[in-house]
Amino acid sequence: MILYHGSPTIVEKPTHGKGKAYNDYGPGFYCTEHIDLAKEWACTEGTDGYANRYELDLTGLTVLHMTTGEYSILNWLAILMENRIGRLSSPVAKRGREYLLQNFLPDYKDYDVIIGYRADDSYFSFARAFVENGISLGQLGRAMHLGKLGEQVVLKSKKAFDAIRFLGYEQADNTIYYARRTARDAGARRAYDRELEKEDLEGVYMRDLIREGMKQDDPRLR
């Protein structure tokens, strides 16, 4: 499996145990299969970055694939709520977070590798809007495809870190790739605003999940 990691530096040997605790899936080494996305993530305004290229041997590794039919967007959202704790001010949002953690949080911490959605700033704001009862589950699902971010691959265990091999890097020009990143985010937000103009009167909202006691196997969530 060929992977890319966007960074302001060249990373020849990823180190297990480092990484921010409040990333989407907790501490880990976050990669993508798409070099252009890695270059976007590598750059900041006025600063170039690097798309580090690796080969990951999945032999013998346990892989949690969050975008298969076994899991729903609520499972992803529960993981996001556990790791990227934002300021939830309303009572329904606070209760919603706890409800998601109690009923939809999968057992994900013992896997070697996780493959799932990436939550850029715009995506995280969409997730917050659902927890705060502002959009329906259906609207959230559609919003997750607006920016076309694809999936991210996260190395979690020491075993996974031992299975990755550095192949080289490509420099990312911030005048190109930071502009693309901001344009992608702005495009996702515009599409999201258009989605909000459509009323989803029959949709499932956070308050419905709590009031109706919906669980993982509830047919109304399909």
Side-chain angles (χ1 to χ4, degrees), residues 100-206:
L100 289 169
L101 292 177
Q102 291 172 10
N103 296 285
F104 293 94
L105 184 67
D107 184 10
Y108 69 97
K109 294 183 179 178
D110 291 332
Y111 282 87
D112 298 313
V113 177
I114 299 176
I115 301 175
Y117 293 116
R118 175 180 170 83
D120 270 15
D121 290 342
S122 56
Y123 281 53
F124 189 57
S125 68
F126 304 160
R128 282 178 60 98
F130 172 74
V131 177
E132 292 170 351
N133 210 55
I135 62 173
S136 71
L137 182 60
Q139 287 174 313
L140 175 62
R142 289 188 289 274
M144 290 309 301
H145 300 285
L146 296 176
K148 299 181 180 178
L149 290 179
E151 298 174 339
Q152 58 184 348
V153 181
V154 187
L155 278 63
K156 296 289 292 179
S157 69
K158 177 67 165 55
K159 188 176 180 181
F161 277 75
D162 290 341
I164 197 170
R165 182 168 64 94
F166 181 68
L167 299 178
Y169 65 89
E170 289 188 22
Q171 190 163 3
D173 184 336
N174 79 90
T175 62
I176 298 173
Y177 289 98
Y178 182 74
R180 290 185 184 179
R181 176 180 172 182
T182 55
R184 184 188 298 276
D185 184 76
R189 291 182 186 275
R190 287 193 299 270
Y192 174 69
D193 288 340
R194 290 194 296 270
E195 180 67 37
L196 288 183
E197 293 175 1
K198 308 170 188 175
E199 284 189 305
D200 191 4
L201 297 178
E202 303 300 321
V204 174
Y205 288 77
M206 187 71 250

